[in-house]
Amino acid sequence: MTLGVGADDRVAGGRSAERRRELVQAAAQVFVADGYANCGVADIVAALGVGHGTFYNYFTSKRDVLDAVVDHGFELIRERIVDDALGRSADLDEFFDRYRHIVDRLHELVRQEPELIRFVVFEAPSIDPVLIDRLLGVFGEFGDVAAEFLASGVRSGDLPGAVDLGVAGEAMGSILLASAVFPLHGPATAEDLAAPLVDFLRSGIAGPVAARP
């Protein structure tokens, strides 16, 4: 017999998930403000106004909550760049238009959460090199979708057969990563950033792009 989940259990589960999110957010704020090496669990719980016991109900250590902070940052990035619709584009024009919107969405995320993105892209990988592979894996997911669509372009004759699909997909993922990094170093606008990057990619993959009016 399967036991049902009562209303009280659902409420308790919701509160538990909310408390965990609050701890992750507090840890992210502390890591960003003070640097991972310069803070401890005491700083995280003080920022949230809870006791150590509450922290250890959810995490085993500062290193454990670091993974949760990085997961949060990576998920925000993934939500902006992993777009299955990209692979269903009707033609190259639609494909690169969707790509342009992905660059714009990522740029907007960096504008909204600059310190968090700076932390997960730069500081976190320096704490644990394994996180570099995880970061590249997020952008690699995008590259796989892009390469799959480009393969269909080669099959249809819209793209030259000499295109190295793996390299092209990796290049598109790498430029997305660059689009997350560039705004952290200056006030580039989405228009300044996206248009040249997309034109550069399209000219390299599909041929020269007509000059913009």
Side-chain angles (χ1 to χ4, degrees):
M1 181 177 68
T2 301
L3 297 178
V5 178
D8 289 346
D9 292 326
R10 287 194 295 270
V11 170
R15 289 173 178 166
S16 177
E18 178 60 26
R19 176 60 79 193
R20 187 181 188 280
R21 282 193 293 270
E22 290 172 348
L23 284 163
V24 171
Q25 290 170 354
Q29 292 169 1
V30 170
F31 292 162
V32 165
D34 301 334
Y36 179 81
N38 301 321
C39 63
V41 171
D43 301 294
I44 297 170
V45 298
L48 190 56
V50 298
H52 281 69
T54 298
F55 178 90
Y56 289 111
N57 283 336
Y58 298 91
F59 303 103
T60 60
S61 64
K62 182 178 76 166
R63 179 63 182 80
D64 190 25
V65 77
L66 169 66
D67 282 331
V69 170
V70 170
D71 287 342
H72 173 60
F74 285 177
E75 186 56 34
L76 290 177
I77 294 172
R78 183 180 289 107
E79 287 173 356
R80 271 68 175 185
I81 71 171
V82 179
D83 183 356
D84 290 340
L86 184 77
R88 298 192 299 271
S89 302
D91 52 33
L92 285 174
D93 287 336
E94 182 178 345
F95 175 78
F96 282 103
D97 187 53
R98 288 184 184 277
Y99 183 74
R100 163 67 183 273
H101 287 307
I102 290 172
V103 174
D104 288 343
R105 290 201 302 268
L106 187 57
H107 185 278
E108 181 65 15
L109 172 63
V110 175
R111 195 176 65 82
Q112 293 171 347
E113 300 278 1
E115 297 304 326
L116 176 62
I117 300 304
R118 187 190 305 275
F119 179 78
V120 300
V121 170
F122 290 113
E123 186 169 349
S126 72
I127 297 166
D128 186 343
V130 170
L131 298 178
I132 297 176
D133 293 333
R134 289 182 56 197
L135 175 64
L136 295 178
V138 173
F139 289 91
E141 290 179 44
F142 169 86
D144 291 342
V145 173
E148 184 177 345
F149 173 81
L150 295 174
S152 69
V154 171
R155 290 192 296 269
S156 68
D158 292 334
L159 289 174
V163 170
D164 188 317
L165 302 176
V167 171
E170 289 178 6
M172 295 186 77
S174 297
I175 284 184
L176 279 180
L177 177 57
S179 76
V181 172
F182 290 160
L184 295 172
H185 299 289
T189 67
E191 183 65 26
D192 293 336
L193 181 72
L197 288 178
V198 175
D199 286 351
F200 172 76
L201 266 176
R202 178 158 188 165
S203 65
I205 293 172
V209 179
R212 294 177 181 273

